[in-house]
Amino acid sequence: MKSSFACALILSCCAAFGQQAAGTLAFEVASIKLSEPQQMGRIRVMMDTDGGMLRYSNVSLKDCVRTAFKVKEFQIEGPDWMGNQRFDIVAKFPAGATEKQVPEMLQALLVERFKLTVHRNSKEGSIYALVAGKSGPKLKPAETPAPDAAQAAPRPGGGPPRGAMMMMMGPEGAHLKAPSVSLSGLAEMISRFAERPVVDMTGIEGQYDFDLVFTPETMRGMPGGGRGPMGGPGPGGPPPGGGAPASEIPVERAGSIFDSVQQYGLKLEPRKAPMEMLIVDHIEKTPTEN
């Protein structure tokens, strides 16, 4: 009698687990391919979800994990290659699914195709707080706001998608174009180049256009002559257009990222703050076949 009860209990638990797994929302079909190499000196990332389709171009697995678990990039702890190896992803929503459910479906995709496992933790760390300067912010509202910083749409006539960013390297330094982004989105972008995470503490809502030029030598992931954090060449590499002779490169260089931010009436203040972390326990470099 006890044996029968135990078997019934095991079968019941298995059935419940099966229903939970079957009820997980997932993309109807998805294609994942390695991205083509980007043009020297610039890199473009596009993350678009519209018309029942997800179209990600040149995204890293770190980008995907960030979107899937609704965390900032600096909250993710995992292998370094997660931010360097890039993919093009096209996926179709199942019937009735909406853009708000993309994170859930993206989680399922990462688990299925990259065998992702994670856990959460918290710690206190050093950050830069993005705050308004003494004279107040000097921001230009975006003419055509993006629906979401993580859901960028292509812009007519070229240029970075709304809510996305384009990184270019030139003789004067690093050039970061970010159209139609929130202050929170800007803080996350700057975090990729600063030696500590940047957290938006301005309390300012809305979306704005930014065009930052700064010297990257002291920035995290951008040593002279190396590769930039977005995959482009470091400041020691040739400028776009094939590279000019050293004698033709202007002597004057851009200021730091701190100086560039101040042009918008903002500043970066060093602080300590508690942070929730997403720890990547396991992830495969190569996805299972399409």
Side-chain angles (χ1 to χ4, degrees), residues 36-243:
E36 295 291 332
Q38 293 282 298
Q39 179 181 345
M40 181 69 72
R42 66 170 60 190
I43 189 166
R44 177 180 294 184
V45 176
M46 185 181 78
M47 303 179 74
D48 179 31
T49 54
D50 187 32
M53 296 291 295
L54 175 143
R55 297 178 180 87
Y56 282 6
S57 176
N58 203 42
V59 297
S60 68
L61 287 180
K62 207 166 196 179
D63 293 325
C64 295
V65 170
R66 168 177 58 80
T67 303
F69 291 89
K70 300 180 181 180
V71 296
K72 305 298 183 183
E73 183 170 334
F74 63 78
Q75 293 176 282
I76 303 171
E77 286 190 0
D80 291 340
W81 61 261
M82 283 181 59
N84 300 324
Q85 191 163 311
R86 297 186 170 273
F87 298 90
D88 296 335
I89 304 174
V90 178
K92 182 180 180 181
F93 292 13
T98 67
E99 291 185 10
K100 290 184 178 180
Q101 295 169 305
V102 166
E104 180 183 353
M105 294 186 287
L106 198 52
Q107 282 189 34
L109 183 68
L110 291 169
V111 170
E112 178 186 0
R113 303 291 294 276
F114 291 92
K115 311 305 178 188
L116 173 69
T117 59
V118 300
H119 74 273
R120 293 182 185 266
N121 201 352
S122 62
K123 68 176 185 181
E124 184 177 62
S126 299
I127 67 164
Y128 284 125
L130 180 65
V131 298
K134 290 183 179 180
S135 300
K138 303 172 183 177
L139 305 174
K140 179 184 176 182
E143 294 182 4
T144 308
D148 189 286
Q151 298 171 3
R155 304 182 76 195
R162 299 193 309 274
M165 74 171 183
M166 178 182 287
M167 185 72 183
M168 296 175 288
M169 298 302 301
E172 75 282 2
H175 196 158
L176 175 64
K177 288 188 176 182
S180 303
V181 296
S182 64
L183 271 296
S184 176
L186 177 69
E188 185 168 358
M189 291 177 185
I190 297 174
S191 292
R192 303 185 183 192
F193 313 108
E195 68 270 19
R196 62 176 68 180
V198 179
V199 180
D200 172 34
M201 295 186 178
T202 62
I204 299 173
E205 302 293 335
Q207 295 174 346
Y208 306 90
D209 292 338
F210 294 94
D211 192 346
L212 306 177
V213 181
F214 57 93
T215 303
E217 277 87 346
T218 59
M219 297 292 98
R220 171 173 55 85
M222 299 187 75
R227 303 292 294 178
M230 295 299 293

